[in-house]
Structures are given as structure tokens and as C-alpha cells.
Amino acid sequence: MTKRAVADINGLKLLVVDDNTEAREMLKGMLSSIGITQVFEAKDGREGLKFMDSAGDFVDMVLCDWNMPSMDGMSLLRQLRSVDTEFPFMMVTGRGDISSVAEAKNAGVSGYILKPYSPVQLETKLRILASRANILKH
């Protein structure tokens, strides 16, 4: 997985991993409303891992749900961290309890956003993550 620099978050290429079609569509709609249109999709962690193995160099960040059949978001995070400890990975979930947040942090999650969230909250989190990962040109 390579790191490229973009002028603004509008240039980000994202992989959205969620088993819920409506949730993926809602997230893509929010991303579009803030100017991000280069979005790839995976319906679960296995499909997300397969995408990252074959085309991970085409994306700058993963936005992933936690609870999914086949392979959940935490398993996907751990698999990706075994290859790249710094690739930007945001957990997009309804799990806001302290133990879940701590588990995600211990596994190396880059960011965490709780459902439901607004486009403004999403944009803020993406800007923070992209800045921390040195994806945004300064």
C-alpha cells in the first residue's frame, strides 16, 4: 500500500466496507456531499481484504463498519495492520462503549466515528485522519 498526497480531501480515494447496502449508500452520499467521489465498496471484511490485496494502492483510506458477517471490521483491521501499521483506517460503527473503543485503539485504528454522524462530523474526522497520515499536501 502506497501513500500519495492530495491537495484537499476531495482528492481522497476511499474504500467503504459495510455489509449493509443502505449504510454504504448513505455514506457514499455524505462523502459526495463533501466533495469526495472516488469511493470503492466492499460488502464485508473478506471482500475488503481481497480489494486491499489486489488494489490497495488505489485507495488512501478505509472506512469500515465493525459488525459484519464473514469477516468483521476488527478482523479486517488486524489483517491490514499485519501488512501496514500506518495505513489510514477509520472504524464507522455504533459501538461507542469504552471497551470497544479501547479494543480498536489497541488494534491500531487510525480514527473512530460513531453512528449516527453528520456530514460535518465525517468531514472533520477525514481531515484529521488525512492530516495525521500526511496525505494532504501542505
Side-chain angles (χ1 to χ4, degrees):
M1 293 177 274
T2 60
K3 196 181 288 187
R4 38 177 221 110
V6 296
D8 194 5
I9 66 166
N10 296 8
L12 289 175
K13 294 180 182 179
L14 307 177
L15 172 63
V16 172
V17 184
D18 196 314
D19 63 311
N20 185 304
T21 303
E22 292 81 20
R24 284 194 317 268
E25 290 301 317
M26 184 191 77
L27 181 51
K28 283 175 37 185
M30 279 192 188
L31 291 167
S32 179
S33 76
I34 60 175
I36 299 172
T37 58
Q38 298 179 79
V39 180
F40 301 90
E41 297 179 60
K43 65 180 181 195
D44 61 33
R46 285 193 198 285
E47 196 173 282
L49 185 59
K50 189 175 179 180
F51 178 92
M52 292 301 291
D53 284 344
S54 64
D57 289 343
F58 292 111
V59 296
D60 302 305
M61 189 180 301
V62 173
L63 280 64
C64 185
D65 185 32
W66 189 313
N67 295 319
M68 295 178 288
S70 181
M71 178 188 277
D72 67 11
M74 187 57 61
S75 298
L76 176 59
L77 173 61
R78 288 187 176 112
Q79 287 285 329
L80 293 179
R81 286 294 175 253
S82 71
V83 177
D84 186 332
T85 59
E86 296 184 18
F87 190 84
F89 189 107
M90 184 182 335
M91 196 68 76
V92 182
T93 182
R95 296 178 84 162
D97 59 282
I98 292 170
S99 63
S100 292
V101 174
E103 183 181 354
K105 284 187 178 187
N106 288 337
V109 76
S110 310
Y112 204 93
I113 190 167
L114 285 175
K115 296 176 183 177
Y117 49 87
S118 70
V120 171
Q121 291 170 314
L122 180 62
E123 181 177 7
T124 300
K125 292 278 185 171
L126 289 171
R127 286 187 185 283
I128 290 168
L129 239 60
S131 291
R132 278 191 203 146
N134 293 317
I135 295 171
L136 296 178
K137 291 179 186 174
H138 298 286

